[in-house]
């Protein structure tokens, strides 16, 4: 009987050991399954993150290319603006030179006008003086002419009177 009990104990121990081993293996399998599931989930999340990263990376590359294109456009616009500014600067300098020429010509013309104005004033003064002298001469000649006319008229009247006196005297002589 002892040997049977020992055998039975050994059998029970083996059964319990096997059962314990099965439970341990099952727990280990469960843990490995759980870890595999977790790794699968992590792999799935990693793949999603990788796809999101690739999309973001592509979008960033597109934005970088857009920024580069814009930078090239801006550089071209800046070059065009610089060229326009240079042309405007040249035009302003040319206009300033032209304005300076016109200003100098204006100064020369103003000096000529001033000189002409002085000559006109002098000529007007001389003309006025000559005009005054002529006016005085004309008045003198008119006065002399009036005096001469008056003297002739008086002489004619005297002549008429003398003629009339002579006629009267001749008539008187005839009548006598």
């Amino acid at each position: 009987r002892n040997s049977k009990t020992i055998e039975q104990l050994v059998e029970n121990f083996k059964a319990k050991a096997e059962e314990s081993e099965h439970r341990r293996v099952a727990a280990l399998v469960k843990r490995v399954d759980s870890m595999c599931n977790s790794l699968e989930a992590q792999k799935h999340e990693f793949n999603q993150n990788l796809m999101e990263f690739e999309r973001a990376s592509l979008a960033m590359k597109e934005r970088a290319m857009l920024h580069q294109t814009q930078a090239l456009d801006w550089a071209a616009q800046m070059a065009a603006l610089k060229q326009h500014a240079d042309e405007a600067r040249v035009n302003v300098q040319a206009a300033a030179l032209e304005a300076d020429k016109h200003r100098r010509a204006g100064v020369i013309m103003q000096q000529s006008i001033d000189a002409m104005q002085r000559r006109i004033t002098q000529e007007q003064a001389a003309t006025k003086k000559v005009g005054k002298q002529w006016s005085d001469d004309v008045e003198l000649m008119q006065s002399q002419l009036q005096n001469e006319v008056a003297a002739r008229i008086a002489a004619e009247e005297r002549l008429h009177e003398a003629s009339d006196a002579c006629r009267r005297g001749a008539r008187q002589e005839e009548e006598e």
Side-chain angles (χ1 to χ4, degrees):
R1 195 169 174 233
N2 258 345
S3 107
K4 204 171 183 190
T5 311
I6 290 177
E7 276 181 32
Q8 204 175 7
L9 278 174
V10 169
E11 284 286 326
N12 279 346
F13 180 73
K14 279 185 184 179
K16 282 187 180 189
E18 275 184 37
E19 188 181 314
S20 177
E21 186 67 25
H22 281 308
R23 270 188 284 179
R24 219 175 80 212
V25 168
L28 196 58
V29 167
K30 191 175 179 184
R31 267 182 56 198
V32 168
D33 274 348
S34 176
M35 286 172 71
C36 283
N37 288 338
S38 176
L39 285 173
E40 280 293 323
Q42 286 179 4
K43 178 182 168 190
H44 180 68
E45 186 179 345
F46 176 78
N47 283 336
Q48 283 181 332
N49 288 342
L50 182 61
M51 285 172 49
E52 187 61 34
F53 175 77
E54 286 174 348
R55 276 195 295 266
S57 177
L58 183 62
M60 286 178 76
K61 283 179 186 175
E62 287 174 356
R63 270 191 266 149
M65 288 181 67
L66 178 64
H67 288 313
Q68 187 177 13
T69 302
Q70 287 175 341
L72 291 172
D73 288 347
W74 289 339
Q77 288 175 1
M78 288 302 291
L81 286 174
K82 185 182 179 301
Q83 183 179 358
H84 287 304
D86 290 343
E87 289 172 2
R89 190 176 303 113
V90 168
N91 290 340
V92 165
Q93 288 172 349
L97 289 173
E98 192 66 24
D100 192 45
K101 285 180 191 175
H102 288 294
R103 185 191 59 74
R104 284 188 301 230
V107 167
I108 291 169
M109 287 175 74
Q110 186 61 48
Q111 290 170 347
S112 296
I113 289 170
D114 291 345
M116 284 181 183
Q117 190 64 42
R118 283 191 300 274
R119 284 182 57 206
I120 289 171
T121 303
Q122 290 170 352
E123 290 298 323
Q124 284 175 337
T127 302
K128 191 174 180 183
K129 185 177 178 184
V130 167
K132 172 81 170 111
Q133 189 171 357
W134 282 358
S135 176
D136 291 347
D137 288 349
V138 164
E139 282 181 25
L140 180 62
M141 286 195 309
Q142 279 180 342
S143 175
Q144 288 174 350
L145 188 60
Q146 284 174 352
N147 291 338
E148 201 175 307
V149 167
R152 282 190 181 181
I153 289 173
E156 277 184 32
E157 285 178 2
R158 282 192 304 265
L159 187 61
H160 279 294
E161 285 176 10
S163 172
D164 285 345
C166 270
R167 276 188 216 142
R168 274 186 301 211
R171 273 192 217 143
Q172 259 182 7
E173 274 184 23
E174 278 183 17
E175 285 180 3
E176 283 182 13

